[in-house]
Amino acid sequence: PQQRLGMGVGPSVDCDVVPHASAARLLRAAGAKGARVQSKPFRFIDLKRDPPDPALSRTSDLDKYCTHLFLPWRREAGRLVVACVEPTPIHLAHIRAAYREPVVFAAAEQGALLDAVESQYRERLTHEAVYGLAEAEPELCANRTVTKGQAQTFACLTIAGLIAILLWPRFALATLAGFLAAAYLANILFRTVLVWLGAAEIFDAPPPPAPVADEDLPLYTILVPLYREANVLPALTRSLRGLDYPPDLLDIKLVVEADDAETRAALNDLNLDPCFRTIVVPPSTPRTKPKACNYALRFAHGEFIVIFDAEDRPEPDQLKKAVARFRAAPDTVGCLQARLNFYNRDENWLTRLFALDYALWFDFLLPGLDALAVPMPLGGTSNHFRTSVLRAIHGWDSFNVTEDADLGIRLARLGHRATTLDSTTYEEATSRSGDWLKQRSRWLKGYMQTWLVHMRNPRALWKHAGPRGFFAFQLFIGGTFVSSLANPLMWAIFLASHAAGIAIFSGPFGEILARASLFSLVAGNALFVYLAMLGPYRRGWLQLTPYGITAPFYWLLISAAAYRAVWHLIRRPFHWEKTRHGISTFASPPG
């Protein structure tokens, strides 16, 4: 029932509210601790009909408005009337501390209050969503593709290489081949070590932390960025409703672009529960997922926050597992990365190889990085954060098209750890080669952006990540795109060195490099096949194992995406190529 409550926070405070479910829990807790609660006549303000006076709002208080859900409304009889949503003691204390004048509290509906905040501060919210990181930590933002120093270094290396090829062509090409062979083999050997470390978790995993009782669970924010996703909304909302978490403790933000009329109309047609709220992102560039998430982050009220994509189907107990893991972990653990894989893995050859790729990545490689305690590039979804940590590091980089990989490195540089969570989110694997190529090109372009950003100041990376983290960054982030670029070159060198009439390698030095290149090519592809076949072991998907034999062909597709990524990095560094969802013939995840 609607009622008027006064909370005993310092002097007696007038407080008009409609208790929200989560607020009611906090009120009961406050009563148990001896807080004074008194009933008074009820007053409610409809902010849609009677909007607040914008002259009373202060730009410096925007964070407080969003965090504690209040907004100054009117002045009446010499007192400031403040509309608020949750009259908990801590909220009222924060609101009273913001003013040096008598305050009267009135109730407001949460959605209407947040709409009023957005209306008053839309330009600032948009600016901060785009440039928040660039203004706070300009050295860590990808809004510049390369710095002046990097451009000069790359130009010098290019000129030196061209001169060497003109003056000593065989020696220069042989040296280049040797470098590529070393980098190629180093990357695959490092991944083999990571798989060995990650596999150890299967046999020697620590016991899971004790589950948290329902009455002790915190408010949990779910961000779902949407763009042209009208066709998957019914399945998405069913999946989110199926989460094993108290609905009154869910703060679900469906984030949609202002010009995406189709998705907005589909959302309006859905009968959404009160825990769902649609956040409309105003038009601005770059049009990227991280920018949309930054905009919505202002309105996140959960102690923890997770990102899900539109096609995601997380395991129902994933949020509870994350809470238990966070509660048992030290405060330095700022992020948990759940495992990802595909519910349409058996659709065709491409989805099977994609599933092998993901199984290797999330079930072995990331746990291997976790075992080494080095920076971990996150997946694009199912990242669970402490909300305070995410805000402290200024959210996502709006200019990085693989923002998840960058965020994992930035967490480590700022003293936080990302670790893995033993829970799976099932996604829709891209089943068409054209869509797959665009998606993989974007990911590799983002890895290139991430490497360029964090290598602007190698000394700072060494200092914050440590020697082990520094080399792991080179081998895993740099090695991911370097090996993809090197792969077809290695094949070309192999074929050219054995073609009649072509002698790239000559003399003892050339012969050694020729053998080294051949060894790297054969050993690298053999290890790649082996790791791909090992990938499905943890999940028992042994029917996929034979497809690992075809992994070298999949690697060539990745190489094509890598060269496309280089072209886009030069021509369209911040362009986000949309991945289409809802086109799979496998409509739902496994039961």
Side-chain angles (χ1 to χ4, degrees), residues 397-473:
D397 184 351
S398 296
F399 295 90
N400 192 313
V401 297
T402 312
E403 78 295 338
D404 41 335
D406 166 74
L407 191 56
I409 309 305
R410 267 197 297 124
L411 278 167
R413 290 189 63 159
L414 297 174
H416 301 286
R417 275 200 65 197
T419 186
T420 55
L421 178 67
D422 188 15
S423 178
T424 298
T425 295
Y426 291 94
E427 299 184 303
E428 177 187 347
T430 305
S431 56
R432 300 180 184 179
S433 57
D435 292 331
W436 181 93
L437 187 66
K438 292 178 181 179
Q439 184 185 61
R440 187 55 63 108
S441 294
R442 174 170 59 81
W443 291 354
L444 288 167
K445 180 172 70 172
Y447 268 58
M448 295 173 193
Q449 286 180 307
T450 300
W451 188 87
L452 288 168
V453 164
H454 293 281
M455 285 301 290
R456 290 171 179 172
N457 189 340
R459 184 177 299 176
L461 179 61
W462 180 285
K463 176 182 176 181
H464 294 108
R468 184 168 54 185
F470 180 88
F471 287 113
F473 175 81

Side-chain angles (χ1 to χ4, degrees), residues 356-386:
L356 289 176
D357 190 5
Y358 258 39
L360 179 64
W361 190 274
F362 289 98
D363 294 349
F364 291 94
L365 296 180
L366 294 192
L369 291 173
D370 193 9
L372 283 177
V374 295
M376 177 192 301
L378 305 177
T381 178
S382 303
N383 323 128
H384 298 256
F385 300 95
R386 298 184 195 270

Side-chain angles (χ1 to χ4, degrees), residues 1-275:
Q2 296 179 345
Q3 53 184 315
R4 180 171 175 171
L5 300 172
M7 302 297 299
V9 181
S12 181
V13 179
D14 288 333
C15 178
D16 309 328
V17 302
V18 182
H20 181 270
S22 58
R25 289 189 178 190
L26 293 170
L27 286 170
R28 288 196 296 272
K33 296 177 180 178
R36 179 167 54 88
V37 180
Q38 59 187 28
S39 178
K40 294 184 179 182
F42 170 74
R43 183 183 185 187
F44 177 81
I45 296 175
D46 184 349
L47 294 179
K48 292 184 178 180
R49 187 184 62 192
D50 297 317
D53 181 359
L56 297 175
S57 299
R58 300 180 301 207
T59 302
S60 60
D61 286 340
L62 177 57
D63 282 335
K64 298 176 183 177
Y65 300 153
C66 294
T67 302
H68 300 294
L69 295 173
F70 74 96
L71 200 61
W73 181 66
R74 298 277 195 278
R75 275 199 172 90
E76 294 180 348
R79 296 195 297 179
L80 179 66
V81 180
V82 175
C84 65
V85 174
E86 294 190 350
T88 63
I90 189 170
H91 284 173
L92 296 185
H94 278 285
I95 296 170
R96 285 185 60 81
Y99 300 100
R100 296 182 178 179
E101 60 181 301
V103 175
V104 176
F105 292 95
E109 190 270 327
Q110 178 172 317
L113 187 141
L114 292 177
D115 286 343
V117 172
E118 278 195 86
S119 177
Q120 291 187 22
Y121 294 102
R122 185 169 290 117
E123 288 187 9
R124 176 174 173 180
L125 290 168
T126 302
H127 178 85
E128 291 187 355
V130 176
Y131 297 106
L133 177 64
E135 293 175 349
E137 300 280 355
E139 193 176 76
L140 298 181
C141 182
N143 59 337
R144 294 174 296 162
T145 302
V146 294
T147 62
K148 182 178 179 180
Q150 287 176 327
Q152 292 173 343
T153 300
F154 294 148
C156 290
L157 290 174
T158 302
I159 293 171
L162 291 175
I163 292 174
I165 290 174
L166 290 173
L167 297 179
W168 310 284
R170 291 183 178 178
F171 175 80
L173 291 175
T175 301
L176 175 62
F179 170 78
L180 291 177
Y184 188 82
L185 193 57
N187 173 258
I188 199 70
L189 287 175
F190 182 63
R191 290 181 176 230
T192 304
V193 171
L194 292 180
V195 168
W196 177 69
L197 293 171
E201 184 187 274
I202 300 175
F203 307 102
D204 191 24
V212 177
D214 280 10
E215 57 269 21
D216 296 325
L217 291 171
L219 187 68
Y220 216 116
T221 294
I222 298 174
L223 291 188
V224 188
L226 304 168
Y227 184 58
R228 297 178 183 171
E229 304 284 11
N231 59 324
V232 300
L233 286 178
L236 168 67
T237 53
R238 281 196 304 270
S239 178
L240 295 178
R241 286 186 177 114
L243 290 170
D244 180 18
Y245 207 84
D248 59 317
L249 292 178
L250 287 177
D251 172 39
I252 303 175
K253 311 295 188 188
L254 304 177
V255 190
V256 61
E257 299 286 341
D259 60 354
D260 187 2
E262 184 181 2
T263 303
R264 294 181 66 182
L267 284 171
N268 291 333
D269 292 340
L270 294 174
N271 183 24
L272 296 177
D273 302 328
C275 59

